[in-house]
Amino acid sequence: PDDESNHWQSAPPELVQNAWRTKFPKMEAAHNRGECKPCAYFLYKADGCRNSDNCPYCHLCRKGEIKRRKRKKIKALKAAAASSEKADIEEDSSDSGPRNTLKAPA
């Protein structure tokens, strides 16, 4: 039971000390900055991306990233629309000038 061949061994120190890089450093950099565009074919098609090395889209994103980004974009658009509506309403109420709150004598 105490056989040396059955014990786990860690990676050699050379691997641990070097930074791990993907095959596509530009895609990796864009992915890390959040500026990449996920490849739907790579994520959702059974045969994967047909462009492989020539694909301009990101193969590092996980499933669900496209939907998450769409929801985030819609939320931001709704927030921007709501804030512009609020600004328009405030602008309209401030443009009407001073209001006469006194009633005319009868």
Side-chain angles (χ1 to χ4, degrees):
D2 242 359
D3 186 13
E4 289 289 326
S5 63
N6 288 337
H7 290 292
W8 285 90
Q9 293 181 359
S10 66
E14 297 86 34
L15 288 177
V16 177
Q17 291 173 355
N18 295 336
W20 184 80
R21 293 281 176 202
T22 62
K23 195 170 158 183
F24 309 105
K26 289 181 184 177
M27 185 185 298
E28 180 184 7
H31 178 79
N32 290 336
R33 288 190 309 264
E35 297 172 356
C36 63
K37 294 180 182 179
C39 180
Y41 285 99
F42 182 77
L43 294 172
Y44 295 104
K45 297 293 180 178
D47 59 343
C49 181
R50 296 179 187 128
N51 293 328
S52 64
D53 294 349
N54 300 323
C55 185
Y57 298 101
C58 184
H59 293 180
L60 302 174
C61 291
R62 294 183 177 177
K63 272 191 173 184
E65 183 67 20
I66 295 171
K67 286 185 180 182
R68 186 187 70 76
R69 289 187 185 189
K70 281 184 182 180
R71 283 192 295 257
K72 184 179 176 183
K73 181 179 178 182
I74 290 170
K75 191 175 183 179
L77 289 172
K78 285 182 180 179
S83 67
S84 69
E85 278 184 25
K86 185 177 178 182
D88 289 345
I89 291 171
E90 289 175 0
E91 185 179 298
D92 289 344
S93 65
S94 66
D95 286 345
S96 62
R99 296 180 184 213
N100 188 1
T101 57
L102 300 174
K103 291 187 177 183

